[in-house]
Amino acid sequence: MVQSAVMVENSQILYASEPELDVAEFRRVLVESGLGETRPVDDEARLRAMLSGANLVLTARLDVEGRPLIGVVRAVTDFSWVCYISELAVSQSAQGLGIGKGLMDEARRQLGPSVAISLISMPDAVGFYERIGMKRMAEAFWFSRKR
Ligand SMILES: CC(C)(COP(=O)(O)OP(=O)(O)OC[C@H]1O[C@@H](n2cnc3c(N)ncnc32)[C@H](O)[C@@H]1OP(=O)(O)O)[C@@H](O)C(=O)NCCC(=O)NCCS
């Protein structure tokens, strides 16, 4: 269901919650954003499990024929206390138009003021998260996956 529509450079961007997002579309936007370098884009079963195990999947689509996917947020949350955003990706051709911020705004709107949002930034995206007002946490910790 479309949650909101925003005009960007003569095109309408549709933001929606898509719990059943197609794995091939998810893969394509990861690759087109550059995030495919760090995600298992050649392991369809794992990508599928990442989508089915997430409980907040938000999309940004262009409101033209076929409604191409141009951005995605995939997250895990209890909708009460905390949300972990595992991917935020915007296709390279659509970057710099406010869509990454739009997806984060939509996530915050859906989660509401009681829910904190955490994530691990890619090095090149640190400036983006600072720009949208996220606080850098020196005390965050991480066990790396082994594969
Ligand atoms: C990082 C990313 C999600 C940002 O999305 P986007 O749609 O390009 O960003 P927006 O257009 O919404 O930018 C919002 C603001 O942040 C700024 N910004 C965007 N990317 C930035 C960056 N990498 N460094 C510093 N500032 C940045 C924009 O200039 C804009 O500033 P403004 O409010 O003054 O206009 C997108 O570039 C992307 O998908 N990158 C590759 C994948 C990735 O690194 N994802 C993050 C994984 S943790």
Side-chain angles (χ1 to χ4, degrees):
M1 189 179 68
V2 174
Q3 313 285 343
S4 61
V6 177
M7 285 300 285
V8 173
E9 292 192 343
N10 297 325
S11 296
Q12 185 117 280
I13 311 295
L14 307 174
Y15 293 99
S17 171
E18 291 194 46
E20 307 297 330
L21 179 63
D22 178 65
V23 68
E25 282 193 294
F26 177 52
R27 179 184 188 282
R28 186 175 52 72
V29 86
L30 291 179
V31 170
E32 286 180 1
S33 72
L35 205 56
E37 306 285 314
T38 62
R39 296 301 187 275
V41 290
D42 296 325
D43 184 343
E44 189 187 318
R46 198 168 184 186
L47 279 187
R48 198 178 293 283
M50 286 163 65
L51 276 178
S52 62
N55 61 353
L56 183 64
V57 178
L58 303 178
T59 59
R61 292 182 181 273
L62 266 183
D63 191 13
V64 296
E65 197 185 334
R67 290 200 173 170
L69 184 71
I70 50 170
V72 69
V73 161
R74 186 184 72 89
V76 179
T77 180
D78 50 29
F79 291 103
S80 177
W81 185 252
V82 69
C83 173
Y84 175 72
I85 292 190
S86 184
E87 283 87 37
L88 166 65
V90 176
S91 294
Q92 199 157 23
S93 61
Q95 289 177 9
L97 301 176
I99 294 164
K101 182 175 186 310
L103 282 164
M104 292 296 287
D105 287 347
E106 184 61 28
R108 294 180 77 189
R109 194 183 70 75
Q110 292 206 14
L111 292 163
S114 308
V115 180
I117 296 180
S118 65
L119 56 82
I120 308 291
S121 179
M122 295 300 290
D124 287 350
V126 166
F128 165 77
Y129 293 114
E130 286 176 342
R131 179 77 190 117
I132 66 166
M134 287 188 88
K135 184 178 161 199
R136 210 165 168 148
M137 303 291 286
E139 303 86 358
F141 290 91
W142 180 258
F143 276 130
S144 289
R145 65 185 70 75
K146 303 293 182 232
R147 59 190 181 87

